[in-house]
Amino acid sequence: MKRRVLPSLNALRTFEAVARHNSFTRAAEELNVTQSAASRLVHSLEEYLEVPLFTRRSRRIQLTDQGTYYSRLVSRSLDLLEAGTVELMSSRAGQGTLSVGMLPTFGTRWLLPRLPSFQKLHPDISVNVVSSDGDLDFTRERIDIAIRFGHGEWSDALVDPLMGEEVQVVCSPLLVDPDRPLDHPSDITRYRLIEHSTRPHSWEHWFRSVGAELSPIDWGPRLEHFFMIIEAAKAGLGMALLPTFLIEEELRTGSLIAPFKTRVSGPGAYYLVTPQTKAGLPRVTAFRRWVLGQLA
């Protein structure tokens, strides 16, 4: 069995405090030990490493180059250990706050209507839903788990496929000229087409899938989120290409109509992405199990 080459944790904590304060006295006060005890612990660390960490001149100390390097390394490691400890303490028995990075429209239309069932199952978990649709950085965004659209390529994470996406062309019923019916998919180029800024090739994919020519297009507004595109389409600003499951209510009430019944499978899918560093937290495990259960 491999044995870790590590000095004492007390020595590391003391060294980090001395390096941060640049003072044995202030470090000793922080750690509630005597100055001589702090000095002995740092000296024992130097003996273990066989490397001088401080130069000592009169009553002043200064980090050596090796000490500067090691102090940064130890500080980052202790920060990580502290964060993990706080995480674990706050999530004992499945409690704590769960921060979910969620695509805005997906969160509004799919997650929020279902969330009461999760809260009923886990009343001790507070859920914080964060609007999040850019590159995933769990540390920077301070989120525990996320739902993303893509191709399942996220490193250092558990990636669970949730659902594919079928899209169809929709518009306001007031937009279509009754004297010029839409008989063929290429006929929609008589109208402005609303663009999704983060999916720039979606219309191209649709035209190719239905076997229509991508003729010159009169582009309408270019919008960032599906909920913006839904509202723009309802306002008559153009034809929109939208996932069917996000517009079921609009299609039911007639505020949006589908000129063609054709639905096209999108090139990506929705995924639940869980960072490996948080996959074992009870609150994260509970949410992951619940989401996958919703799609069973």
Side-chain angles (χ1 to χ4, degrees):
M1 182 180 294
K2 182 180 178 181
R3 183 179 178 182
R4 292 188 181 275
V5 182
L6 289 172
S8 114
L9 181 58
N10 273 342
L12 291 174
R13 288 179 63 234
T14 304
F15 164 66
E16 189 273 339
V18 173
R20 178 160 35 85
H21 290 293
N22 198 35
S23 165
F24 280 100
T25 301
R26 289 200 294 273
E29 290 172 353
E30 176 185 313
L31 299 172
N32 197 29
V33 298
T34 64
Q35 181 181 344
S36 61
S39 180
R40 283 196 303 272
L41 281 166
V42 171
H43 183 66
S44 71
L45 180 61
E46 290 175 312
E47 287 187 333
Y48 180 87
L49 298 171
E50 298 182 351
V51 168
L53 300 174
F54 292 98
T55 58
R56 298 163 173 83
R57 294 195 180 100
S58 185
R59 301 183 66 179
R60 298 183 60 186
I61 60 170
Q62 183 176 348
L63 283 165
T64 62
D65 290 343
Q66 298 99 319
T68 298
Y69 160 77
Y70 200 52
S71 69
R72 291 171 181 167
L73 177 65
V74 172
S75 181
R76 287 197 301 270
S77 300
L78 290 177
D79 285 346
L80 183 61
L81 184 59
E82 180 183 31
T85 302
V86 172
E87 284 272 15
L88 192 60
M89 291 173 66
S90 68
S91 64
R92 58 186 178 272
Q95 300 175 354
T97 299
L98 176 79
S99 186
V100 183
M102 186 62 56
L103 300 168
T105 312
F106 189 97
T108 302
R109 297 292 175 108
W110 189 89
L111 177 69
L112 293 182
R114 293 170 169 81
L115 199 55
S117 73
F118 176 77
Q119 297 282 223
K120 186 176 180 179
L121 287 170
H122 303 282
D124 293 330
I125 299 178
S126 299
V127 180
N128 178 31
V129 178
V130 180
S131 178
S132 171
D133 60 359
D135 293 336
L136 270 178
D137 187 331
F138 289 98
T139 301
R140 177 176 55 81
E141 296 183 75
R142 296 184 179 181
I143 54 179
D144 299 315
I145 195 168
I147 290 181
R148 281 291 190 275
F149 184 84
H151 302 283
E153 299 170 352
W154 289 275
S155 60
D156 300 321
L158 297 177
V159 180
D160 297 296
L162 297 181
M163 66 179 77
E165 183 180 79
E166 286 188 335
V167 297
Q168 63 185 124
V169 175
V170 295
C171 65
S172 164
L174 302 177
L175 184 68
V176 180
D177 185 348
D179 296 325
R180 301 183 69 190
L182 295 168
D183 298 319
H184 189 271
S186 60
D187 292 340
I188 67 169
T189 56
R190 299 202 299 259
Y191 300 89
R192 288 186 172 182
L193 305 186
I194 301 170
E195 285 190 276
H196 193 313
S197 61
T198 62
R199 299 195 190 181
H201 304 295
S202 56
W203 276 111
E204 180 183 347
H205 175 78
W206 184 84
F207 275 99
R208 186 169 60 250
S209 298
V210 298
E213 289 188 16
L214 187 62
S215 54
I217 292 173
D218 182 14
W219 292 109
R222 192 167 187 259
L223 303 171
E224 186 176 3
H225 299 299
F226 276 133
F227 68 82
M228 296 178 178
I229 296 175
I230 292 170
E231 294 305 314
K234 288 164 62 177
L237 292 176
M239 295 280 178
L241 190 61
L242 289 163
T244 303
F245 80 95
L246 293 181
I247 50 172
E248 291 174 346
E249 178 67 14
E250 285 77 10
L251 292 174
R252 187 184 65 80
T253 61
S255 59
L256 287 177
I257 61 170
F260 309 102
K261 301 303 179 185
T262 305
R263 298 180 182 182
V264 171
S265 295
Y270 292 91
Y271 293 88
L272 183 66
V273 187
T274 311
Q276 292 283 5
T277 54
K278 297 192 175 184
L281 289 174
R283 66 177 184 271
V284 174
T285 302
F287 185 78
R288 179 169 173 257
R289 185 186 302 119
W290 173 78
V291 169
L292 296 178
Q294 294 297 300
L295 300 164

